[in-house]
Amino acid sequence: MRLTRHTASLAFVLLTALASLARTDEGKVKETALDAPNNVKIKVRMEGPYTADVPLQVVCYFKYTPEGAKRMSGAPVELDKHLGGVIGALRERGEFAGDQLETFLIIPPKDSIKAKALLLVGLGDEDALSLNLMEGVGRVSMREAARLGVNRVAFAPLLRDQGNSKLGTGDVETAVVRGMLLAYDTQKRLQKEALSKEFTLDEWNVEAGPTYFDKTVTGIQKAIEQSGKLIKDRGAEPYLKTR
């Protein structure tokens, strides 16, 4: 069947529109959004710590060893490339050793990564890795966000990229997000009694690759459920005792 000039023109316009739509879809970051206590929106996003456009990006590192540095691959390697080797230099010189819950704040060089600030959190020795520690990481990260006054945070544990598979991906995010949500609830309660400066966390983004995306979502759903119950059990007694 032969196409008329008019029909051919319509076909061309349709194909062009479909191609444009496909390019738009390809440019989108896959994400799942979840509602958490205290009106925090938690998003699982399929992106890396060097592409997240947020006020604060948080990443975790085990205590530095030359052997551990050689095993590192993927996101932390790319992150440090974007930063011009700053993280590697700090670790090799012992200036950020990576002890348990040690923190180090970096202001990224211009045109390096999208995040305005980068927080390194130490995990200590690999053998000591536990879910209790990861819950502590969530608490520390939230408190640093409150200190800095940022309302959006992106988080990447980077455990698999450092060659460690001791803990399940979903379990790690359950622990981290539970620690973060409980610490934020404390922060909001303190604010009500004028014991802390005003701070609102609107969004907590968890970065996950395609292999672990679904497990991460499931882990966060558990954290939201557990945190909601624990927050209710805390009661409403004020911190400040009557003088």
Side-chain angles (χ1 to χ4, degrees):
M1 182 177 68
R2 297 179 62 185
L3 294 175
T4 66
R5 181 178 296 178
H6 179 67
T7 305
S9 297
L10 287 175
F12 176 78
V13 171
L14 178 60
L15 288 172
T16 302
L18 289 173
S20 177
L21 180 61
R23 286 194 297 271
T24 300
D25 289 342
E26 287 173 3
K28 291 181 179 178
V29 173
K30 179 180 178 180
E31 71 171 38
T32 296
L34 303 165
D35 294 322
N38 287 305
N39 298 314
V40 178
K41 181 75 71 176
I42 300 179
K43 293 181 179 180
V44 182
R45 290 174 58 84
M46 198 178 290
E47 65 180 350
Y50 41 87
T51 59
D53 191 0
V54 291
L56 180 65
Q57 170 72 55
V58 183
V59 290
C60 304
Y61 288 90
F62 288 109
K63 191 168 184 177
Y64 176 79
T65 64
E67 295 76 17
K70 290 177 183 177
R71 292 201 311 271
M72 198 173 291
S73 64
V77 174
E78 291 302 315
L79 174 63
D80 207 21
K81 283 182 180 178
H82 280 75
L83 292 168
V86 171
I87 299 174
L90 287 168
R91 287 168 59 73
E92 289 168 9
R93 297 175 188 181
E95 293 170 42
F96 173 69
D99 292 322
Q100 281 195 7
L101 303 182
E102 178 186 3
T103 59
F104 199 106
L105 186 69
I106 296 172
I107 303 302
K110 186 179 179 181
D111 299 325
S112 57
I113 65 174
K114 291 187 177 181
K116 304 300 184 292
L118 177 68
L119 179 68
L120 314 182
V121 181
L123 300 174
D125 295 327
E126 287 195 52
D127 292 342
L129 180 65
S130 69
L131 292 177
N132 284 338
L133 173 61
M134 296 312 299
E135 187 164 348
V137 168
R139 286 195 300 270
V140 166
S141 300
M142 197 294 303
R143 288 170 182 162
E144 282 296 298
R147 184 178 67 83
L148 294 169
V150 298
N151 64 345
R152 291 188 303 118
V153 179
F155 178 85
L158 304 182
L159 302 182
R160 293 292 189 274
D161 296 303
Q162 295 177 73
N164 190 290
S165 58
K166 180 180 179 180
L167 303 175
T169 303
D171 295 334
V172 167
E173 288 308 331
T174 298
V176 172
V177 172
R178 184 175 60 236
M180 178 274 292
L181 289 174
L182 292 176
Y184 184 56
D185 181 67
T186 299
Q187 191 75 23
K188 298 305 287 184
R189 290 170 184 246
L190 287 169
Q191 288 178 35
K192 288 179 181 179
E193 298 182 45
L195 296 172
S196 178
K197 68 178 183 180
E198 288 297 317
F199 166 70
T200 298
L201 180 65
D202 294 324
E203 194 173 289
W204 179 274
N205 295 338
V206 179
E207 294 154 352
T211 304
Y212 304 108
F213 191 90
D214 292 339
K215 291 180 180 179
T216 299
V217 172
T218 300
I220 291 171
Q221 288 171 332
K222 289 181 181 178
I224 291 171
E225 181 181 352
Q226 291 173 6
S227 300
K229 292 178 179 178
L230 290 169
I231 288 171
K232 286 181 180 178
D233 290 342
R234 283 180 160 183
E237 295 82 6
Y239 299 109
L240 194 60
K241 306 299 182 184
T242 303
R243 293 186 229 181

